[in-house]
Amino acid sequence: MVIRISAREAARYPGLRARLGAGATAVTHPAMGRRTAASLSSTTTYVEWDMDAEVGGAPHWVLNLPDMELINANEVRRWHWSRERKAAAAIREATAVLARTAAIPQLTQARVLYVVRPKARTRVFDPSNWALSAKAAVDGLADAGVFEDDNASIVTGVDPRAGERQNGARIRMSLVIVDQGRGEGL
């Protein structure tokens, strides 16, 4: 599976920096001091993120959440608290159902990558803004029995990744659960 990651995000991961190459720099509009649409498209170069290279030979499972409302940290402050709780409950429940259907065994230690796939017309986005959605999804994995608990000794990290642009009305999310228990099943 190949997932795309933006140049900005690739700079945060040293292993991807060499694969990025020389990207175009942003051109600012002289009168406004802001980036123009043409300069934004040149700064959103994507480098292919090879999931198999990062995951290696470790057992892993991919769960694609259905088309549903996700919680964005930039927008949630304008929401009513009940809307946020309903969205979190829906994400949690959907993830638990998907994990049970995929028959993921109980893991002693794991890392969760959440892949945010933006809409086709989205120019720039920050996948870490959907951390609240990822937290609800990890809680759903705990509900399904994938983890005994979602504390830091069991879930070693919940890391964002930028996925491919896709058609649709909403941004979508996938989860990649990577077993790091080194074969110490319960």
Side-chain angles (χ1 to χ4, degrees):
M1 175 186 259
V2 176
I3 299 175
R4 299 175 187 273
I5 188 165
S6 71
R8 186 175 185 188
E9 290 293 320
R12 294 181 186 170
Y13 303 101
L16 295 178
R17 192 173 297 181
R19 292 168 63 193
L20 180 61
T25 58
V27 178
T28 56
H29 189 275
M32 302 174 79
R34 295 189 311 187
R35 293 180 179 182
T36 61
S39 68
L40 281 174
S41 65
S42 68
T43 60
T44 57
T45 7
Y46 278 81
V47 65
E48 297 292 324
W49 175 65
D50 187 5
M51 182 179 71
D52 295 329
E54 183 171 346
V55 170
H60 64 280
W61 297 265
V62 178
L63 301 178
N64 294 315
L65 294 178
D67 185 13
M68 60 190 324
E69 183 173 41
L70 299 175
I71 306 167
N72 181 327
N74 290 336
E75 296 173 1
V76 74
R77 63 179 173 244
R78 292 185 291 254
W79 289 7
H80 189 270
W81 61 267
S82 64
R83 180 179 174 192
E84 178 185 359
R85 289 194 183 158
K86 285 177 187 176
I91 293 167
R92 187 174 183 158
E93 183 178 347
T95 305
V97 169
L98 289 171
R100 287 186 193 109
T101 304
I104 302 174
Q106 187 174 26
L107 305 175
T108 57
Q109 194 173 41
R111 182 173 61 141
V112 178
L113 304 171
Y114 64 96
V115 182
V116 181
R117 297 181 316 230
K119 297 181 256 185
R121 297 183 60 113
T122 303
R123 284 191 230 144
V124 179
F125 80 110
D126 181 5
S128 60
N129 284 339
W130 283 270
L132 296 171
S133 295
K135 172 59 179 150
V138 170
D139 289 342
L141 292 171
D143 292 347
V146 175
F147 311 124
E148 183 180 328
D149 187 21
D150 61 348
N151 63 45
S153 65
I154 296 172
V155 180
T156 60
V158 181
D159 304 320
R161 296 291 184 267
E164 293 181 13
R165 299 182 192 302
Q166 47 86 35
N167 292 327
R170 295 187 179 168
I171 291 176
R172 293 180 180 241
M173 186 184 328
S174 299
L175 300 172
V176 180
I177 301 103
V178 183
D179 184 7
Q180 295 183 321
R182 320 289 189 262
E184 306 168 8
L186 287 177

